[in-house]
Amino acid sequence: MSIRHKRKWWQTLLRGVGIFLLVVLPGCVMVLSRFFCWEMFTVPTESMYPTLLAGDRIIVNKALFGARLHRSFESMGAEKPDIRRWTYRGLRPLQRGDIIVFNYPYARGWGRIAFDFNTLFVKRCVALPGDSVYAERGVIRVRGVEGTVGLPRSQRELARFDLSLYPPETRFTVAPDSAYGRWTIRDFGPIYVPRRGDRIPLDSSNLALYAAAVEYETGHRPRLDSLRRTVLGDSVVTHYTFEDNFYFACGDNTTASMDSRYWGFIPEVFVLGVVTRVAYSYDRQRERVRWRRLWRDVSYRPAE
């Protein structure tokens, strides 16, 4: 026969507080941290080589640029009018050279921006809203900004490749048939990246560049009528004022990366966060941990 001693009220209270501090509180902190501060993802390809390798487990800093929370799961796979979320102010805006993780904007085909909840890309931001970005012999530059953006050594490797050996779909860039000529992944631009409040002309010379961004914001695809006038919905327009900010991102492995050079701009609201470190890395081919990459800092530092 066992005798149970009845706990006093303060003992029960202390036990409950202890369970909360040891079990519930750490769990809440982890969940809130994942929503507002950081998240981890695995890099699947070599498009960011040599900065990131396939198998790298990267840490994405959400607080740096500003966290976002989805208010409705109706946004999954939907167009912009159905995307409902809260966004929070970050510690700083995005900078040229930041490695960013974002929802892939062109899951329904190049030329049409649509939000894809389940597909994430990691690339380097090479141009900000209001920048004019261009490439010469593979090296990416921004007008009015001294130096290059990204890894010039990796970008110059593209200059040694014979582009005639590339399939057409992997040789020519966004809007290859525009009035600017047949741009390639090695030489293109300048391309002006839309900024909130910018009023730009829409005509035959740039319609191919901005049609997807305008359709994303308005729901209508701008087109040219028989008189070569720009028509948006039921109206003839000469200019358009952008409501959102957009970005231009490229992979460090410029010879093997599908990025903004092909499909264009990334809406600001699609950006999840900034990659700051590699937590650890696992080489699947050799089935071993890459110990040298443990907690490696991959924050961007411009070349001097």
Side-chain angles (χ1 to χ4, degrees), residues 1 25 46 49 56 72 75 85 98 145 173 180 184 188 191 220 237 260:
M1 180 177 181
L25 184 60
E46 299 287 349
Y49 177 85
D56 281 355
S72 171
S75 64
R85 60 173 68 91
D98 280 340
V145 177
T173 70
Y180 295 99
T184 68
F188 64 84
I191 299 173
H220 300 286
V237 298
S260 289

Side-chain angles (χ1 to χ4, degrees), residues 13-73:
L13 178 62
L14 287 177
R15 186 169 181 266
V17 171
I19 293 175
F20 176 79
L21 292 176
L22 293 176
V23 179
V24 180
L25 184 60
C28 292
V29 171
M30 289 294 293
V31 171
L32 291 176
S33 296
R34 182 173 179 181
F35 281 137
F36 293 99
C37 299
W38 61 272
E39 197 163 353
M40 294 180 66
F41 298 98
T42 300
V43 177
T45 70
E46 299 287 349
S47 69
M48 282 296 294
Y49 177 85
T51 309
L52 300 177
L53 306 181
D56 281 355
R57 189 72 169 170
I58 56 176
I59 297 177
V60 180
N61 188 329
K62 294 182 175 181
L64 200 61
F65 179 57
R68 66 185 191 188
L69 291 177
H70 292 275
R71 296 160 54 186
S72 171
F73 285 103

Side-chain angles (χ1 to χ4, degrees), residues 206-221:
N206 65 3
L207 196 61
L209 284 175
Y210 299 110
V214 173
E215 183 183 23
Y216 165 72
E217 293 195 345
T218 65
H220 300 286
R221 186 86 173 184

Side-chain angles (χ1 to χ4, degrees), residues 32 41 61 65 78 87 95 110 124 150 165 177 190 198 201 208 216 262 269:
L32 291 176
F41 298 98
N61 188 329
F65 179 57
T87 57
Q95 298 176 353
W110 297 350
R124 189 179 298 278
L165 301 178
D177 298 320
D198 280 344
Y216 165 72
Y262 295 97
V269 74

Side-chain angles (χ1 to χ4, degrees), residues 216-238:
Y216 165 72
E217 293 195 345
T218 65
H220 300 286
R221 186 86 173 184
R223 56 183 176 81
L224 297 176
D225 64 8
S226 59
L227 300 177
R228 305 294 290 176
R229 298 176 302 180
T230 302
V231 177
L232 183 60
D234 297 326
S235 304
V236 175
V237 298
T238 58

Side-chain angles (χ1 to χ4, degrees), residues 81-125:
D82 297 322
I83 299 175
R84 292 189 287 271
R85 60 173 68 91
W86 291 289
T87 57
Y88 298 87
R89 181 175 296 180
L91 301 177
R92 66 163 174 81
L94 288 185
Q95 298 176 353
R96 298 181 199 92
D98 280 340
I99 302 174
I100 59 175
V101 170
F102 54 93
N103 292 93
Y104 180 50
Y106 299 89
R108 300 186 181 182
W110 297 350
R112 186 183 183 193
I113 300 176
F115 185 78
D116 184 355
F117 188 86
N118 297 310
T119 305
L120 295 170
F121 270 36
V122 55
K123 304 293 178 184
R124 189 179 298 278
C125 176

Side-chain angles (χ1 to χ4, degrees), residues 220-284:
H220 300 286
R221 186 86 173 184
R223 56 183 176 81
L224 297 176
D225 64 8
S226 59
L227 300 177
R228 305 294 290 176
R229 298 176 302 180
T230 302
V231 177
L232 183 60
D234 297 326
S235 304
V236 175
V237 298
T238 58
H239 292 74
Y240 178 76
T241 302
F242 282 94
E243 301 174 0
D244 298 316
N245 288 322
F246 293 83
Y247 296 85
F248 198 92
C250 297
D252 286 350
N253 188 1
T254 53
T255 60
S257 173
M258 288 293 175
D259 47 46
S260 289
R261 295 173 299 166
Y262 295 97
W263 31 254
F265 308 117
I266 304 165
E268 184 172 73
V269 74
F270 284 40
V271 179
L272 183 65
V274 179
V275 180
T276 54
R277 287 186 179 275
V278 175
Y280 65 91
S281 183
Y282 184 76
D283 189 335
R284 293 182 178 179

